[in-house]
Amino acid sequence: MTALAAARMARAAGAAIALVAITVGLELHALTGLDTAVAEVFPRHRDPAFPWPAHAGFSLGQTWVFPAASAVLAVVLARRRHSWRPLLAVAAVWLTHSAVTGAVKVWAARQAPGSGQPDLHAVTAAWTDAMSYPSGHIANIMVFTTVIGALLTSLTGQPHWHTRLLAAGIASSTICTASMIYLGYHWTTDAVAGFALGCLLRIGITPLLATAFASLREPDNSRCRTRQGPGRRPWRIPLT
């Protein structure tokens, strides 16, 4: 095992341990007091002039921010490299992220702070009302900043994008966490668990994305032929 692989496994183990520890703490009601205390503080200090910035911060975890940017970059890379691989890779990441996060949410069955019930496995009329744990917004940010970093690295050939997007993911997660707790959309442990799950998924998909994009290079125009029909602009078809 290489040092890089060992470090990756150590980080994955740390993220998994954090996620399990938070979940066990909630199961044993050891962390619900903290969640309740934090949730009771912000309504008393919520400034009517501040919700717009808070909503903007919360929106960083929405699908139309980092996942949408990933989709756009995947289309650009697919067109430049004449390959469906970037689109398939982003779709696979999206499906995996949605399935894993959704499964944990359904199992945890935790209501949002507005319910006043911080316990897991809440009995509600609709399962859609108990999808608070873990925060999918935070996991979204960590997963798709990683995808964007991999796509930009493949587009530019500059590996520093991984580090830059990791920093952007951590900063955006911090802003989104503060915003969602301030607005009362999530418990504190929801956000922390979402970050741990996002890191775990990030560590898992990073080598897979590197493998998927490793062989994508600028197309050799000499190996392409041009087809042109009546009234059409010339376009290239790779011969391989």
Side-chain angles (χ1 to χ4, degrees):
M1 180 185 298
T2 65
L4 181 61
R8 184 181 297 119
M9 290 184 63
R11 291 193 297 269
I17 290 171
L19 180 61
V20 171
I22 295 169
T23 305
V24 171
L26 291 173
E27 289 277 14
L28 298 177
H29 308 288
L31 297 176
T32 52
L34 171 65
D35 279 333
T36 303
V38 174
E40 290 175 350
V41 168
F42 286 102
R44 297 196 299 267
H45 301 280
R46 196 171 290 153
D47 188 341
F50 190 69
W52 284 112
H55 280 290
F58 177 72
S59 296
L60 290 172
Q62 297 282 23
T63 304
W64 44 266
V65 181
F66 291 110
S70 299
V72 171
L73 288 172
V75 171
V76 173
L77 183 61
R79 286 180 60 86
R80 289 191 179 183
R81 303 297 190 267
H82 302 293
S83 172
W84 288 97
R85 197 178 304 170
L87 299 174
L88 295 175
V90 172
V93 170
W94 171 255
L95 291 174
T96 302
H97 161 61
S98 299
V100 172
T101 306
V104 178
K105 282 178 172 288
V106 171
W107 172 83
R110 193 186 201 189
Q111 293 178 293
S115 68
Q117 300 294 326
D119 296 331
L120 301 183
H121 313 303
V123 178
T124 60
W127 62 271
T128 53
D129 296 331
M131 297 283 284
S132 185
Y133 181 87
S135 168
H137 281 65
I138 303 301
N140 235 356
I141 292 172
M142 294 307 298
V143 168
F144 284 97
T145 50
T146 302
V147 175
I148 292 172
L151 290 166
L152 287 174
T153 297
S154 184
L155 278 167
T156 64
Q158 299 176 357
H160 64 258
W161 284 110
H162 287 292
T163 304
R164 291 183 177 181
L165 268 296
L166 174 59
I170 294 173
S172 299
S173 295
T174 302
I175 295 171
C176 187
T177 294
S179 299
M180 66 172 58
I181 295 173
Y182 178 84
L183 293 169
Y185 291 167
H186 276 283
W187 304 98
T188 302
T189 50
D190 293 345
V192 179
F195 183 79
L197 179 60
C199 289
L200 188 60
L201 290 171
R202 175 187 180 279
I203 294 166
I205 67 173
T206 296
L208 300 179
L209 291 174
T211 301
F213 300 155
S215 61
L216 294 180
R217 298 289 184 270
E218 287 286 355
D220 183 1
N221 291 333
S222 65
R223 302 180 65 189
C224 298
R225 59 188 172 89
T226 301
R227 285 180 56 181
Q228 184 176 10
R232 294 181 181 177
R233 295 178 61 187
W235 55 284
R236 294 201 175 271
I237 306 174
L239 296 181
T240 57

